[in-house]
Amino acid sequence: MRTDMESADERALRRRGLTLGLLTLTYFFSYMDRQILAILMEPIRRDLDLTDLQLGLVAGFAFALFYATLGIPVARLADRGNRRNIVAVSLAVWSLFTALCGLAQNYAQLLAARIGVGIGEAGSSPPSHSMIADLYPPDRRAGAMAIYASGVVLGGGFGTILGGWLAHQYGWRTAIMAVGLPGLALAVIVRLLVVEPRRGLSEPARITSTTQPPLGEGFTTIWANPAARHLVMGVTLTSLVGYALTSFGLTYYIRSYNLDTATVGLVLGPLVAIVGTISGVGGGMIADRWARKAGQHVQSWLVAILKTAAMPFMALVYLAPSFPVAVAAQAVSVLLQSSYLGPSFALIQGLAPIRLRAMWAAITLLVINLIGLGLGPAVTGALSDLYRPYFGTESLRYALLTMAAITPWPIWHYWRAGQILKQIEAGADAAGRTGD
């Protein structure tokens, strides 16, 4: 006779595909609402008379400050409460504030609405990471995380297509409201259909206590783990470059090649969505396959290898003599470097204590977003303003090239994390043989 716990576990596992799909769709809306400004920056700048630095602060720091810092208390709640409900409420909040961005009449109002988006989105990823880690075992986790992370490229790509076309036809205000409001309906669907799994469901042998550890333990445990430190640094610096390039990348095409938002959206949106999804999901599956054969450490090395191969194409995007050459270079760059999120988050969740999984995800996102999203767009905007006396309308091109040049730094952290993980795996194997 089955117990209630057994039937609940079986139900969670039977519906984990649906749960993963809805969490991915939520992340899709999260990133679409977050990145819609990328295609709308130029019309917003003209309408509200803003500088590139102001645009960078709205797109990055104002959002990131609240998104990242509030992720910690939300994760604390998620590690002891119902994660599904947290995700649903958060989705409703940020969707509403995204729509309110379209009503802004000045810089202060736009800034306030973006802060509201950041507050809402703080409750999305930490509980989602924790739920996925509970539903999928380590040898399938990178693939599941990669599917979840595809929400980044799909949301960014679809937001670019829809936002660019709507802005060209009806103005930027209609565009931003059109991507925000549907999230309210999705919030209801998430609340009704997503299954809340038992903590540690995929690794029951690792559960040693049902008591939630103190808040400070989340920070001390992640800092005390050398592999986790390097992984967090690698994904943070990658995000610093990524947010810089995505926040202003579409504006670069509009300015440097004298294009409208509809043209850029229809060309770059499908490219990012299709190629990025192939890279993210395919890279996650390859990472799982390699890990089963050689150990988890090769997932970190895979990211380092692909990012190294992408570097020449990243530079060519901003040195290209024509729009077609730049687009072709970006396609190759996106294909090679968009697979880092799945393996990164999977490895971090695999290292995290089960009762601290949401907290470790929140700490990772805190660092990623304060440094990556908080500084990436703002520094790029400041560099563009600084370069303008020397390069004129091409200042943004060289600001983006400067940010792309940071890439070797995160590559080293991924390589070092792989070395440490390999040593840990070798020690575990030796201990297992001794025990036998």
Side-chain angles (χ1 to χ4, degrees), residues 227-378:
R229 284 204 310 269
H230 281 287
L231 286 167
V232 171
M233 285 299 299
V235 73
T236 297
L237 292 167
T238 297
S239 297
L240 173 69
V241 176
Y243 279 122
L245 304 188
T246 56
S247 294
F248 279 99
L250 300 174
T251 304
Y252 152 68
Y253 284 113
I254 292 170
R255 290 187 193 175
S256 293
Y257 299 106
N258 195 28
L259 301 170
D260 57 53
T261 58
T263 300
V264 172
L266 290 173
V267 173
L268 272 298
L271 182 150
V272 170
I274 295 172
V275 178
T277 301
I278 292 171
S279 174
V281 177
M285 292 179 176
I286 292 171
D288 275 340
R289 187 175 298 115
W290 283 16
R292 285 192 288 267
K293 293 181 178 179
Q296 299 292 317
H297 69 280
V298 298
Q299 296 182 339
S300 190
W301 285 350
L302 175 65
V303 174
I305 292 168
L306 291 175
K307 287 184 67 62
T308 300
M311 284 178 58
F313 299 97
M314 290 176 65
L316 182 57
V317 172
Y318 308 107
L319 297 174
S322 66
F323 180 57
V325 173
V327 169
Q330 182 154 353
V332 179
S333 176
V334 169
L335 180 65
L336 291 172
Q337 66 174 338
S338 295
S339 61
Y340 74 99
L341 284 175
S344 299
F345 288 137
L347 288 170
I348 291 169
Q349 286 290 294
L351 292 168
I354 287 175
R355 297 295 298 182
L356 287 171
R357 275 178 165 165
M359 181 58 67
W360 271 42
I363 292 170
T364 303
L365 291 168
L366 171 70
V367 180
I368 286 174
N369 288 290
L370 283 181
I371 296 176
L373 181 54
L375 294 181

